[in-house]
Amino acid sequence: MSSTPYVMTQAQARELLGQVDVPQILRKLFHDLAAGQAVQPPQQLVAFPQGAGDFINYLGVLAEEQVYGVKTSPYIVREQGPLVTAWTLLMSMQTGQPLLLCDAAELTTARTAATTAIAVDALAPFQARRLAVIGSGAVARAHVQYVKGLRDWQSISLYSPSLQNKSAQERASLTELDPRLQIAASLEAALHDADVVMLCTSSAKAVLDPQTLSKPALITSISTNAPRAHEVPPQSLNDMDVFCDYRQTTPGSAGEMLIAAEQHGWDASRLVGDLPELLSEHVARPGYERHVFFRSIGLGLEDVALANALYQLHN
């Protein structure tokens, strides 16, 4: 067997991702975590000297598939703005040989959005009708694609400050995602009477104060890999029912959780549940006496599971 892994480009990954059921692959992953058939260590942060950036490494093992994988993602500080890339290496647990080296940009976008969609399906009220999306990049678009069929949305309102500088054609491409989608003129307009708010930004600081919402809502957050990045004020965690993708790793990495624990008396023991617990029905749906917050940091296993699916297709 060759010890040289197959190298998959971003374009190849994009094409193959269109042939797999991404949410279903991730649902199986979270069921495997619940059943002890997968291993997800905490993510590893390797900082560059002099604040020049960092690498975040995400590891994972899928026992049934007999694969080990690592996703490694640099955050490189530059004058023209940070550079972020990502690659996923897949290795055989049977031969110890590398199988695949995959440009993970498309994997990251797909698994980030699909994980949020799984959370929305598991947590949002069945009667939810108004969806707000904050952000307009590739990840925000993918969020809309994966979530648009999960509830009988009467309105999908999208807001992003960057749209002010976009052409009419670029703005129109957003509304083509779904006939119900409308671009809001302000954050306040987008959030009006929202049942579900998906934060899909790359902001390193809060973009939404849950206190400004008119009623209890589900708020989902992904953030970015800038140090201690967060999309809601850390102190707001004390006033919400908090869920995450994986309780063993997220509190040690999510910026608002770290800050809330250090400065605002919040503790990871107050997490209501994570996706393995929700999907295995070990945790009940929230009752919405107050806001519900879902935080995803992204698991290496998500990338490993998708990379393995693409590798099987390629073979």
Side-chain angles (χ1 to χ4, degrees):
M1 175 181 290
S2 171
S3 61
T4 303
Y6 177 74
V7 179
M8 185 174 291
T9 66
Q10 182 176 351
Q12 290 172 307
R14 183 187 304 117
E15 179 182 355
L16 290 175
L17 276 170
Q19 302 175 38
V20 299
D21 186 337
V22 176
Q24 187 55 37
I25 291 169
L26 296 188
R27 282 180 182 276
K28 181 184 184 304
L29 161 63
F30 289 114
H31 279 291
D32 285 349
L33 275 171
Q37 289 299 307
V39 178
Q40 175 63 75
Q43 69 181 37
Q44 175 194 54
L45 173 66
V46 182
F48 297 167
Q50 286 82 53
D54 58 59
F55 265 88
I56 294 182
N57 301 316
Y58 311 76
L59 317 177
V61 169
L62 295 175
E64 273 191 26
E65 288 79 4
Q66 286 290 286
V67 293
Y68 159 82
V70 54
K71 175 192 177 178
T72 186
S73 177
Y75 179 88
I76 301 172
V77 176
R78 305 179 305 171
E79 284 188 12
Q80 64 270 43
L83 172 66
V84 180
T85 68
W87 287 82
T88 298
L89 175 66
L90 197 68
M91 298 187 67
S92 169
M93 290 168 59
Q94 297 173 319
T95 67
Q97 296 296 316
L99 304 172
L100 175 71
L101 181 61
C102 180
D103 186 311
E106 296 295 327
L107 302 185
T108 302
T109 299
R111 60 90 162 154
T112 299
T115 297
T116 297
I118 293 170
V120 169
D121 201 25
L123 291 170
F126 292 116
Q127 69 275 19
R129 295 294 179 265
R130 299 181 67 87
L131 172 65
V133 183
I134 311 305
S136 60
V139 173
R141 293 167 184 255
H143 271 68
V144 173
Q145 292 284 16
Y146 283 121
V147 171
K148 64 184 182 181
L150 296 181
R151 294 293 186 272
D152 183 18
W153 307 114
Q154 300 302 301
S155 70
I156 302 175
S157 188
L158 183 146
Y159 173 73
S160 174
S162 66
L163 288 177
Q164 297 173 0
N165 304 318
K166 300 295 185 182
S167 67
Q169 182 177 1
E170 289 175 297
R171 292 165 65 91
S173 69
L174 283 166
T175 58
E176 291 171 0
L177 292 171
D178 189 275
R180 297 164 293 184
L181 190 150
Q182 293 187 327
I183 296 175
S186 66
L187 177 64
E188 293 73 23
L191 297 175
H192 176 68
D193 205 28
D195 297 301
V196 177
V197 180
M198 299 193 302
L199 303 177
C200 312
T201 77
S202 58
S203 177
K205 59 184 180 180
V207 296
L208 167 68
D209 185 347
Q211 289 187 343
T212 63
L213 299 177
S214 62
K215 64 182 181 183
L218 170 62
I219 303 163
T220 71
S221 175
I222 54 169
S223 197
T224 184
N225 65 347
R228 302 208 165 194
H230 53 278
E231 294 178 298
V232 300
Q235 62 269 28
S236 68
L237 297 192
N238 287 318
D239 301 315
M240 298 190 287
D241 290 333
V242 180
F243 294 79
C244 67
D245 44 2
Y246 192 45
R247 69 162 68 239
Q248 304 300 322
T249 60
T250 304
S253 299
E256 73 284 350
M257 293 185 182
L258 291 170
I259 298 169
E262 292 173 4
Q263 301 178 19
H264 303 289
W266 186 82
D267 188 87
S269 65
R270 294 170 63 181
L271 279 169
V272 181
D274 61 12
L275 285 182
E277 292 166 338
L278 281 163
L279 295 185
S280 60
E281 299 184 344
H282 287 133
V283 170
R285 285 176 172 270
Y288 284 91
E289 288 80 18
R290 58 183 187 165
H291 296 312
V292 176
F293 180 65
F294 173 78
R295 178 60 148 100
S296 169
I297 60 167
L299 305 181
L301 272 177
E302 295 168 4
D303 292 83
V304 172
L306 289 185
N308 184 58
L310 302 193
Y311 179 73
Q312 299 303 324
L313 269 181
H314 164 72
N315 278 359

